Each structure stands twice: as C-alpha cells, then as structure tokens.
Amino acid sequence: MADLEIACVCGQVKGMFRNTGPGYGSRVICYCRDCQAAAHHLGHPEALDECGGTDLFITTPERMELQSGADKLGCFRFSPNGPRRWYTTCCNTHLGNTTHDAATPFISLNLACATPATRPVVGQSTRGMMVRDARNEPNLPRKIAGMSRKLLFEVVLRTLFATLRGKRGTTPFVRDGKPVAEAVMLSREVRAEALASAGFK
C-alpha cells in the first residue's frame, strides 16, 4: 500500500488517497460518450487517451482527503439521476464521479488528476468498458462493449461493505450530511455541444 497523490492542473487543489492499492479498487478505462463529453465540456480533452478513454480508479472515498482547495469543488450532471461529475472551479480539472447523492461510498476517480509518479500504486489499466464508443480500437487485454458484470459485482460488493462499516458520507464531497456543492444540471443543448466536440453526432 502507498499514497496516491492528486492535484488539479493549476495546483490550487491537492490531496491524496492514503494507503491504497490495487486491492482497494478497480482500475478501468471508460470510453462512454458522457465521459468523453465531460472532458470536452470542462475544456480538458487532453485528459482522454488516444481512443477517447478516461482512466478511472473505482473505489470507496474514505481514504481520500484534500490538503488544499476544498472550497474549490463544483459538480455537474448530464441527467437528473446521473452521476455527479466533480471538478475544480479554479481550472476545471475533473476529479471523479460519485452517485447522485454523493454520500454513497463510491467514487470513480479520474486518474488524469493523479500525479504520474504515484499512478502505478493502483496497478495497471487492463480493462476497457463501453468500448463501442471508443474513437479507435483500444489496445487492452480485456475489452467490454458495454458494462462488465464482473466489474459491476466488484463495485457493488465494495460499496456494500463500506456502507456496513459506517463509511457512508465519509468523503471530501460531503459535509454535515450534504454535498458540498450543488450539482448543476446541464441543458440538453450544452450536452449536445459537448458530445459534438467529442466527435459524436
């Protein structure tokens, strides 16, 4: 186990996942349209790989802490029941996604915000999901057109165990039982513009 360091592009927001490793989450590359659209909406398409993938570490957030910039968190969603997509308001760095209530012990951390030197702490990216939306054919050992049942089982089990251990709401994104920022619901027009920017019609 080791610390996974995270930081926004401009450096005002810094934090880490303490004492984590491959056994604490699932590393997967997501090629879905909304992840690609989110990167373009925030103005950081460079956070995607050459096939349009977002490198994610899906885990529980109780090991996550912010050393600076906790007052610079914002979030948006593409649909009423969609995930909260958290970013930094200082430079629009995408940090990760939580459930719509933010308190459920679940986060898909965008590893683009992790320092390159510490990314290996959570293992290698060997799985790709929603590959049907990829720009090109990803060079990965395991590729799923949609959502992997095995991955879904891993996430549900991990989230359930964290809930039973009383970790609900143990996250920098929740304070006093409520999300620290209101989720801005983007209009259909804004989503369509982001999708078009990502190459989808």
Side-chain angles (χ1 to χ4, degrees):
M1 294 188 299
D3 295 340
L4 177 69
E5 299 175 359
I6 59 177
C8 68
V9 172
C10 73
Q12 293 188 61
V13 178
K14 293 182 180 180
M16 65 176 60
F17 275 77
R18 291 196 178 276
N19 299 319
T20 191
Y24 290 92
S26 305
R27 188 169 179 178
V28 62
I29 300 179
C30 181
Y31 297 92
C32 80
R33 294 183 173 208
D34 279 352
C35 279
Q36 295 188 54
H40 283 266
H41 172 69
L42 292 172
H44 290 292
E46 75 282 356
L48 303 171
D49 69 17
E50 64 278 4
C51 297
T54 302
D55 196 357
L56 301 172
F57 183 57
I58 304 175
T59 184
T60 55
E62 73 265 19
R63 295 172 181 269
M64 181 183 182
E65 59 183 58
L66 294 179
Q67 282 86 38
S68 63
D71 60 331
K72 295 178 172 62
L73 297 177
C75 68
F76 68 91
R77 54 173 51 139
F78 284 127
S79 61
N81 295 317
R84 287 175 177 258
R85 298 177 183 272
W86 293 89
Y87 66 97
T88 63
T89 56
C90 48
C91 59
N92 282 357
T93 298
H94 181 219
L95 298 176
N97 308 320
T98 65
T99 57
H100 66 276
D101 68 351
T104 300
F106 164 92
I107 183 173
S108 54
L109 176 73
N110 188 342
L111 288 173
C113 75
T115 59
T118 65
R119 282 178 204 161
V121 164
V122 294
Q124 298 297 314
S125 297
T126 61
R127 289 185 285 183
M129 67 178 185
M130 304 302 292
V131 175
R132 61 190 175 212
D133 290 334
R135 294 180 199 156
N136 306 297
E137 185 70 18
N139 183 23
L140 291 169
R142 288 178 285 175
K143 292 173 281 191
I144 305 296
M147 179 70 176
S148 164
R149 291 182 181 178
K150 181 177 184 295
L151 176 62
L152 184 60
F153 177 76
E154 291 173 4
V155 171
V156 170
L157 198 62
R158 194 176 298 118
T159 301
L160 177 61
F161 283 163
T163 301
L164 293 175
R165 288 187 286 110
K167 298 301 182 180
R168 181 176 172 80
T170 308
T171 164
F173 304 119
V174 172
R175 185 184 302 120
D176 298 326
K178 297 180 180 180
V180 297
E182 289 295 323
V184 176
M185 176 68 191
L186 300 186
S187 67
R188 291 183 179 180
E189 291 75 18
V190 171
R191 180 175 182 268
E193 183 179 343
L195 284 168
S197 181
F200 296 101
K201 295 182 180 180

